[in-house]
Amino acid sequence: MQTKPMVRGPHGVALVLFALVWFSCAWFGSWPLNPNNATRLFAAFSIAERGEATIDRYQSLTIDKAQFGDHYYMDKAPGMTLMAVPFVWGVGKITGGETQELVIDVTNPRLMRFMALRLCVAVALGAALLTAFAAVLLLDLATGITGSPAAGLYAALGYALGSIVWGWSTTMLGHAPVAALLLIATWAIWRGTSGDGELTRWRYPLMAGLALGWAVVIEFQAALGGVAIAGWALWRTRDVAWPVRGRVLAMAVGAGIVAVLPLFAYNLFAFGTLFRLGYQGVVGFNGMQQGLFGLTYPKPGALFGILFGVRRGLLWVSPVIVLGALGLVSMIRARETRDLGVLAAAVVAIVLMVNASYVYWDGGASIGPRHSVPAIPFLAIGLAALWAGSRRAWQRAALVAVLGLSVAINLMIASTDVFGSEAYANPLWDRTILAMFLPGNINTIPGDFFGWSAWRGFFLYLDIAVPLLVLLVLWTRGAERRAR
């Protein structure tokens, strides 16, 4: 157990960081009729409005669907839809509108506004909240392992705004929420095993279990990273007396089981059986018949494309995150952080290997390797160690420059459309920057719902976000001096 108090993430910095990240994710929108967004929304409409899971009425508007018998269903894990249902229901009660009043046609502007409003609310109160909360916990974790609030802020900003986590947090896809939940579980285990007193606090094992369980309900493959995190929890508590250890582990396992129950409830509700998955009835994607729902074995070419390829490579869309690998090496070398470094490296390797094993590894219409997003927070942990180990002014200036470049890239991605067309060899440059951002094809809340011009909504975002960022830096500098 930890023998001396760890430096905590400064509370004032944490509050401003939460506000900045949540605002940044909620301010920009994504296309409601992207098949991944649409199928989840359609299922939420059916559950909220008619108490059923079929999407027969909407199925012609999405290629992402499953068919069982004569009925169509969402083909995804149900977590994001289940999170959206209460918000879809609430918006319907407030506005008084339902899809039965609309013509279900892609050319119907009323349908587009209907979907956009519900998507906006579901994202703001779902993915955006999870990413903002995870960023705050990463600030605390990174500050604790390095003793440096500046290192904590660098890691948190790299994760939330310097990577494609930002863009994917504007959607109903599960990648960013799973990344956040795996990080939340990691923080809870790390903090909950940091001292004898922390082991007696029930909130940590409950948080870890709930986060890992719900991550699986959102994306089934999250179970693989979750197993690594659970194994790390066993190792972190190996010297704890059994009565205490047994109670902590029982609480975590019990919370995980409770979190997974909605998956079985949805299966029973939708399919009449506990053990059917939407992926079993996927329509039109024959590659899903290979291996286990499209998963076979890691391909070197796919792994290279995920990390370095111009079309999907993480290096080009999130350059600061790639540097985190250097920090993980230093963490593994240091005895005090070795176990966390090994865990982070293991989760990164699991996520990348699963992505490289998938027949559709490039994610279709995607900016960056969207299936590898859950690895990003664990690479970001390494950013804290990298910052703390960079003692010279020029080294930190270079790190700040790379972070600034990454934030600028991901601001353009999040403000336009994170769903990149498959027609481009270099979608970041040719589509995001040249075809969308520079001509002003920007999606903001004021632009989508209040008729503002694209640039007016964009610059209003900067008017709010830049002062928050400056405040973060100033408060962190003060906290850094106090920590020293």
Side-chain angles (χ1 to χ4, degrees):
M1 296 295 101
Q2 188 77 19
T3 57
K4 62 179 181 179
M6 291 181 290
V7 179
R8 299 297 298 258
H11 289 173
V13 174
L15 289 173
V16 177
L17 176 65
F18 181 91
L20 174 61
V21 173
W22 178 83
F23 171 66
S24 298
C25 296
W27 188 255
F28 300 111
S30 62
W31 187 37
L33 272 181
N34 175 274
N36 276 278
N37 272 336
T39 193
R40 291 175 169 92
L41 277 173
F42 294 152
F45 296 163
S46 292
I47 295 172
E49 296 177 5
R50 299 188 302 281
E52 60 183 46
T54 60
I55 62 169
D56 298 339
R57 188 159 184 255
Y58 323 102
Q59 61 87 15
S60 62
L61 299 187
T62 178
I63 59 173
D64 285 356
K65 54 196 171 189
Q67 184 175 11
F68 297 101
D70 296 328
H71 294 291
Y72 291 92
Y73 300 83
M74 172 182 65
D75 64 341
K76 312 298 181 184
M80 295 304 295
T81 289
L82 296 179
M83 288 171 60
V85 165
F87 307 127
V88 168
W89 179 86
V91 171
K93 290 300 180 182
I94 294 171
T95 63
E98 293 188 355
T99 56
Q100 64 183 8
E101 304 166 4
L102 301 173
V103 176
I104 306 302
D105 189 281
V106 70
T107 61
N108 182 4
R110 287 187 60 202
L111 176 63
M112 295 303 101
R113 288 193 297 270
F114 183 97
M115 295 181 65
L117 176 60
R118 284 148 182 80
L119 176 63
C120 174
V121 174
V123 166
L125 300 178
L129 276 180
L130 282 173
T131 295
F133 184 49
V136 168
L137 298 188
L138 179 56
L139 168 73
D140 184 61
L141 187 155
T143 300
I145 63 174
T146 61
S148 167
L153 181 62
Y154 189 80
L157 289 177
Y159 154 67
L161 301 182
S163 78
I164 52 172
V165 164
W166 186 357
W168 292 110
S169 296
T170 68
T171 75
M172 275 186 67
L173 277 73
H175 311 307
V178 165
L181 289 166
L182 294 182
L183 179 60
I184 289 167
T186 300
W187 175 88
I189 294 167
W190 169 78
R191 179 60 70 186
T193 56
S194 62
D196 292 335
E198 304 297 328
L199 282 166
T200 64
R201 300 189 178 183
W202 57 267
R203 62 177 177 267
Y204 297 121
L206 287 185
M207 185 182 296
L210 289 172
L212 291 179
W214 192 249
V216 174
V217 180
I218 292 177
E219 286 191 352
F220 301 133
Q221 66 269 30
L224 299 174
V227 168
I229 295 171
W232 179 62
L234 291 174
W235 191 88
R236 291 274 292 187
T237 58
R238 66 195 183 282
D239 295 328
V240 178
W242 179 246
V244 176
R245 190 187 193 206
R247 183 174 65 252
V248 168
L249 296 179
M251 291 175 68
V253 171
I257 292 173
V258 169
V260 172
L261 289 179
L263 169 61
F264 297 104
Y266 171 83
N267 287 346
L268 190 62
F269 166 74
F271 308 122
T273 175
L274 296 175
F275 303 107
R276 175 177 288 178
L277 304 179
Y279 289 116
Q280 293 173 266
V282 168
V283 175
F285 292 90
N286 295 329
M288 295 294 287
Q289 306 305 316
Q290 298 181 25
L292 179 63
F293 300 127
L295 293 176
T296 54
Y297 59 91
K299 287 84 170 177
L303 183 60
F304 180 86
I306 291 165
L307 294 174
F308 308 114
V310 173
R311 185 163 172 261
R312 292 288 184 268
L314 189 65
L315 173 66
W316 306 106
V317 294
S318 307
V320 71
I321 289 299
V322 177
L323 296 179
L326 301 176
L328 292 184
V329 172
S330 67
M331 288 178 65
I332 293 171
R333 288 176 175 173
R335 182 176 179 273
E336 297 80 4
T337 57
R338 181 170 299 148
D339 67 309
L340 180 57
V342 169
L343 169 73
V347 175
V348 170
I350 289 170
V351 172
L352 292 178
M353 291 303 104
V354 170
N355 193 170
S357 301
Y358 188 38
V359 63
Y360 302 114
W361 66 266
D362 64 349
S366 170
I367 296 293
R370 63 184 178 91
H371 295 296
S372 289
V373 165
I376 289 176
F378 295 91
L379 285 167
I381 292 172
L383 290 178
L386 186 63
W387 177 274
S390 301
R391 303 296 183 184
R392 298 183 179 181
W394 69 267
Q395 292 174 323
R396 293 194 169 177
L399 290 178
V400 169
V402 177
L403 175 60
L405 173 63
S406 293
V407 171
I409 289 171
N410 285 282
L411 173 58
M412 290 187 285
I413 292 172
S415 64
T416 53
D417 187 8
V418 73
F419 299 115
S421 171
E422 297 181 71
Y424 293 92
N426 187 344
L428 173 63
W429 177 254
D430 294 332
R431 185 174 186 270
T432 298
I433 298 176
L434 295 183
M436 299 200 71
F437 184 77
L438 294 180
N441 295 319
I442 294 170
N443 299 309
T444 65
I445 296 295
D448 290 344
F449 297 104
F450 304 112
W452 286 32
S453 69
W455 287 115
R456 186 182 176 192
F458 180 81
F459 284 116
L460 178 58
Y461 166 78
L462 294 181
D463 287 341
I464 299 172
V466 171
L468 288 176
L469 184 59
V470 171
L471 187 60
L472 274 178
V473 172
L474 293 177
W475 283 7
T476 301
R477 290 182 64 183
E480 187 79 4
R481 287 193 293 268
R482 290 190 295 273
R484 289 176 180 174

